[in-house]
Each structure stands twice: as structure tokens, then as C-alpha cells.
DNA sequence: CATATAATAGCACATATGTTCGACAAAAAA
DNA sequence: TTTTTTGTCGAACATATGTGCTATTATATG
């Protein structure tokens, strides 16, 4: 996760690159965010780089580049959903997908596709799907759901004979009727695949 | 006005900013354009700044900015490939995909998938695939190719009986033998889908 | 040809800047 | 409570980097 200080650093870097055309030095960041040691900055920079928000060349001055110049927050990637924990609990957090939309949207999360139940919809194992929690999947949409509050799943939604179902895109899987055991997370709005 | 050397310097600066995200040092310019003294570079830099081509802050490393480069580093999205035009020609450019990889890489382009010839590989119509031009698709990989220099296509590559083929992931399409009409663009490294 | 202007080189200096290491306190987890 | 993680500091070090000065050579210009 990105701490308060890290966000502050990120913002300062973005602002500087945007207004100056080049990135600040470690010492400039130090001063700007009210830290007294350059190594504290290095510490945070390393984290931000690991999270994918920044990039930097070693031993090269002012070589920080930022992907978040136009946006502030990454999309949290959730892995295995821990039983009993609320969806956004730390336990579930496995990384962050840099956000590059135009508006800041805290309603976005990313889930890693597990298995092949949606393969006929072009959602493959290990794909990352971005879910907008503020959108309700309509019939025919692909949505993300929580089963028994312990397992996240991505499926088509549709109404058959007045009942709503989660519908896999793979003949080897059965439809699941939506009942009280199933909580809606949101609508799947985009997909990333690394090959 | 602008001498040969100065143009060379300008080009190098632009190229560097574009690919690295930050400007080169005086010494790097020195080396790159084949000069032996940093003060010669300073001499030219001053001229270029006076002429308004460059901007620079005093005593600040890597602070050169260029008017001829916009500091955006998205991945260019290429649409219909115009016959006769080089791949990266303006004619083909239909937009920019915000960059989300780890390193800044000028060898990346994005192509919009057209048709369903790769549907069994999970590449759907209108998907955007990111192509790394610096990578050669090996057997089994998905690559991007230019047919007759006019049409871009994305297919599996494989060797069958000592011949290399472009192989669609859709039974309704035939394999295409790779011959002199087919130019390799690069390897498909990731996928983006908006739903 | 003599002279001004444009390019280039070499070097040295000051400092801007990234990096490392050890220590320590606060917060979180076990 | 004990242990681990996270955040912080300070100082020292190595080098990356901008700058200034002088001298030399090429190219133009009168």
C-alpha cells in the first residue's frame, strides 16, 4: 500500500516533472515533503518503484520518471479472498495496478482470474480484470461476485426464468443461482494480460 | 542559423528525452555527437537556447527541456496501416495508450485487433495488443507482422516441417507461410481490453 | 593577406547528487 | 510482552555533472 508520505512524495515528483520538465533530486524531495534525511527518501522511493509508480535509473541524477503524472492512485489488486475478512482487507491485497484513466476513481479494484471458467469470454487464467464497484452488472455483462464472502469469482450475469444466475463462459461449468450467499462486487470494465 | 552539429545535438536530446524520460548530461551529449570537449557542447547549447529550441536551468543536472518534444510517453496505437508508408508514419497513428510497464521503452507500439482470427487465443476484436518491436517472436509466441507492407496482423508463429508459418487461433482461417511478403514487427507482450 | 567569427579541445574546479551504513524510535504483528 | 516491520535520521563517500578559462584550428569576410 502507499503510505501518506509516499503519496506526498509521488505528488511532489509529479508536480515537479509537470512544471519543470525534469524530475527533482532526492534532496529536493527530502526538503519538499519535510523529511530530514535523504535516505528516508531513498527508502520511500524504493517502495514506490517496487509498486510500479516510479521508475529510475541507478546513479543517474534526476532520472525519476512517473506514470502517475495524470493520476494519483493505483488500482489495488486483490488475490485470494481471505475468509471472514472484508473485501478490501490487507490480507487480500497482492499488488497495485497503475491507474491511467482520466478521473480518480476509488471504486476500482483489480482481480486476478483464477481458472478457466470464463475462457470462452476471453478471460484467461492469470488475466487481471478491473472491476468498477460503483457499477451494477446488467444482464449480459460480466460481473465480479463474492461467494460465501470467501471466494471471488468473475462470471456473466443473466436472468433465466425470472431467476438471476452467474453464468460461466465454459460448458464444463454450471450456472450458479444468485442467492443470499452471493454478494456483488461490481462490473468488469477492462482486462489486462501479460504474455 | 542552426549548424549541422547543433541539429545533431538537438536530435540527440529529443531522442533521449523521449526514450529515457529525462534529458542527457553535457558529457553524454558530448560523447553522442562525437565531440571531445564538454565546453564545445556548452557552446552549442547556449546557441540552441538563445535560438529558443532548448530550455535549461542553471547548475541543475539534466534540466534541458526541448520544445520539439512533448514529454508524453504513451504507447502509440496504430490503426490501419497505410500502404507504402513506413509503419510508424503519422498516417497510421490513431492514439496513445498510457504506458504501464516497468521501463520506458520506445520499442513498444499498440495495435488494435481486427477480426476474430485469434479468438481461440483470447484475442478479441477491438482488443489492443502491445507489441515489443525489440523482441523476436519464437515458435509458440504470438507475434505481429506486416503483410505486403500494407496490412498488420497478429498471429501465432510456429515451424512446421522446416517452414515457418503464421498460425491463426481459429479453425476458420488458414496458416500463412512466412515469405518475403511478410515482415516481422515484434512480439505481442500484453493485452488491453475495454468492456 | 589580415582579421573576425565559428568550432573545437583540454583541463580544472566546485558542487550537485545518488548511495550506503549504522542507529533508533514508533507502529504493527505475533 | 517480544519480535518484526516501518519510518526516520545523520553522516560520510564517491562520482556525476555544470561551469569557466585558455588555447588552437577551421571558416568565413573584408
Amino acid at each position: 500500500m502507499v503510505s501518506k508520505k509516499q503519496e506526498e512524495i509521488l505528488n511532489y515528483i509529479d508536480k515537479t516533472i509537470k512544471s519543470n520538465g525534469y524530475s527533482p533530486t532526492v534532496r529536493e524531495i527530502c526538503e519538499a515533503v519535510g523529511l530530514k534525511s535523504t535516505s528516508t527518501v531513498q527508502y520511500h522511493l524504493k517502495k514506490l518503484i517496487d509498486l510500479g509508480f516510479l521508475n529510475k535509473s541507478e546513479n543517474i541524477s534526476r532520472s525519476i520518471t512517473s506514470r502517475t503524472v495524470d493520476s494519483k492512485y493505483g488500482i489495488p489488486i486483490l488475490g485470494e479472498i481471505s475468509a471472514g475478512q472484508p473485501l478490501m482487507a490487507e490480507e487480500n491485497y497482492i499488488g497495485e495496478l497503475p491507474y491511467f484513466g482520466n478521473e480518480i476513481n476509488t471504486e476500482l479494484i483489480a482481480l486476478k482470474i483464477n481458472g478457466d471458467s470464463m475462457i470462452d469470454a476471453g478471460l484467461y487464467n492469470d488475466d487481471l480484470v478491473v472491476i468498477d464497484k460503483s457499477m451494477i452488472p446488467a444482464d449480459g455483462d460480466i460481473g465480479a461476485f463474492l461467494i460465501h464472502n470467501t471466494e471471488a469469482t468473475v462470471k456473466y450475469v443473466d436472468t433465466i426464468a425470472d431467476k438471476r444466475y452467474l453464468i460461466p463462459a465454459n460448458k464444463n461449468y454450471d450456472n450458479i443461482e444468485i442467492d443470499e450467499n452471493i454478494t456483488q462486487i461490481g462490473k468488469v470494465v477492462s482486462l489486462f494480460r501479460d504474455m
Side-chain angles (χ1 to χ4, degrees), chain A residues 146-149 164 176-184:
Chain A
L146 209 49
I147 303 180
H148 290 113
N149 281 305
R164 298 198 88 218
I176 303 168
E177 190 181 339
I178 300 182
D179 58 21
E180 65 283 354
N181 294 318
I182 293 177
T183 325
Q184 165 191 288

Side-chain angles (χ1 to χ4, degrees), chain A residues 10-122:
Chain A
L10 208 47
N11 285 335
Y12 174 68
I13 291 172
D14 285 356
K15 200 191 75 188
T16 306
I17 293 178
K18 216 166 184 174
S19 67
N20 293 345
Y22 49 85
S23 91
T25 64
V26 177
R27 279 173 183 78
E28 285 167 359
I29 297 167
C30 202
E31 167 109 0
V33 302
L35 285 172
K36 286 170 188 164
S37 175
T38 54
S39 67
T40 308
V41 175
Q42 300 262 21
Y43 170 84
H44 289 302
L45 282 182
K46 188 176 180 317
K47 301 237 158 181
L48 288 167
I49 290 166
D50 287 345
L51 284 171
F53 287 99
L54 299 177
N55 205 60
K56 182 178 163 308
S57 309
E58 277 183 19
N59 296 315
I60 292 181
S61 64
R62 297 178 186 278
S63 65
I64 301 170
T65 53
S66 171
R67 293 202 224 118
T68 55
V69 173
D70 295 314
S71 64
K72 283 185 178 160
Y73 303 99
I75 303 170
I77 302 172
L78 306 184
E80 302 281 312
I81 307 299
S82 307
Q85 296 291 342
L87 186 64
M88 299 303 290
E90 289 251 12
E91 283 83 358
N92 305 331
Y93 178 91
I94 57 169
E96 224 161 79
L97 181 66
Y99 178 73
F100 36 78
N102 280 325
E103 298 144 45
I104 292 174
N105 187 341
T106 49
E107 301 302 312
L108 296 181
I109 60 169
L111 282 179
K112 192 165 235 170
I113 296 285
N114 187 252
D116 59 356
S117 72
M118 287 298 280
I119 201 155
D120 291 338

